[in-house]
Amino acid sequence: MHALRGIDLALPHGSFTAVMGPSGSGKSTFPQCAAGPDRPTAGSVTLGGTEITGMLPAGTAEVLGLLRHAVDALGATVVRVTHDPVAASYADRVLFLADGSVADRLTRAPAHEIADRMTRLTARTPAGLAVVR
């Protein structure tokens, strides 16, 4: 079974692309390969002419620097899902989601502040509600 098969695609600069499909169709694998952290079994991935195929791990300074450059120099919009406070510290803003809603946000925060906020967010009360202070 293949998560992805035979994809040959160029995403135009400044475009907005939605990826849809049923469960198991490769929706999550596709952006992981397209963004560089996962390696396709064949072919390559380039971003602005730079080869990014399989740049592992996803939080490496090279990948994060490339994403930061895409925002600063190319005017790209980047949204990255991460559990890593260091990776999140490269972002202009960090949104914290809980129970399907934005529970908190930080702007230009260092990794230790992001980690502290995440720790407080994940602290649960007996009723299962997130505690955010």
Side-chain angles (χ1 to χ4, degrees):
M1 179 174 181
H2 297 276
L4 300 173
R5 182 181 24 240
I7 294 178
D8 183 5
L9 179 67
L11 301 173
H13 174 75
S15 67
F16 183 131
T17 302
V19 179
M20 297 180 68
S23 181
S25 66
K27 296 181 305 295
S28 297
T29 303
F30 172 71
Q32 286 293 101
C33 287
D38 285 355
R39 178 180 297 278
T41 55
S44 64
V45 178
T46 60
L47 176 62
T50 301
E51 175 77 24
I52 65 167
T53 306
M55 292 179 100
L56 292 174
T60 63
E62 293 86 3
V63 172
L64 296 169
L66 187 61
L67 292 173
R68 183 76 254 169
H69 174 76
V71 171
D72 295 340
L74 305 175
T77 299
V78 173
V79 177
R80 185 173 195 284
V81 176
T82 184
H83 296 273
D84 180 4
V86 173
S89 72
Y90 279 75
D92 296 318
R93 71 192 55 78
V94 180
L95 300 177
F96 297 90
L97 302 182
D99 299 321
S101 298
V102 175
D104 205 352
R105 57 186 85 210
L106 289 172
T107 302
R108 297 266 184 196
H112 72 274
E113 189 175 336
I114 295 167
D116 179 60
R117 192 69 56 95
M118 190 65 192
T119 298
R120 287 189 282 146
L121 179 66
T122 57
R124 303 285 179 179
T125 64
L129 301 174
V131 175
V132 181
R133 296 186 177 109

